[in-house]
Amino acid sequence: MFEIKLGSDGKISLSGRLDASRSDRAFHSLKSVSGHVVADCTALDYISSAGITVILELHKRLHGSGGSLRLVGMNPRVRTVFVYTGLDKVLNIA
């Protein structure tokens, strides 16, 4: 299961497994997000390459329009995926 909660204050919460079977829904859910966004990943259990693509597309779109994306609360397993891919150097991960 995967869930996205969009807050009115620029905060989004990601929970569950963001994989290929859920990436299209995640992409469409995040299309309306703009400005400076903080993504709470505390409850994100797993992310696949398809999920990483969703995060990168969001980052690229926000950055291109003067906004930003900050990822917070990653568990060590999910954070390791970003470190191994080198995306910890590209994305703002707290």
Side-chain angles (χ1 to χ4, degrees), residues 17-33:
R17 296 175 56 89
L18 181 49
D19 57 21
S21 67
R22 294 157 179 100
S23 63
D24 283 342
R25 187 182 74 153
F27 179 78
H28 290 293
S29 296
L30 295 171
K31 283 175 80 170
S32 64
V33 174

Side-chain angles (χ1 to χ4, degrees), residues 54-88:
V54 171
I55 299 296
L56 285 174
E57 288 293 326
L58 177 60
H59 165 76
K60 182 178 173 181
R61 184 174 55 77
L62 292 172
H63 187 72
S65 64
S68 64
L69 175 63
R70 184 171 182 229
L71 303 169
V72 300
M74 278 188 193
N75 71 46
R77 186 179 22 192
V78 172
R79 187 181 191 85
T80 298
V81 174
F82 286 88
V83 171
Y84 282 163
T85 58
L87 292 173
D88 61 322

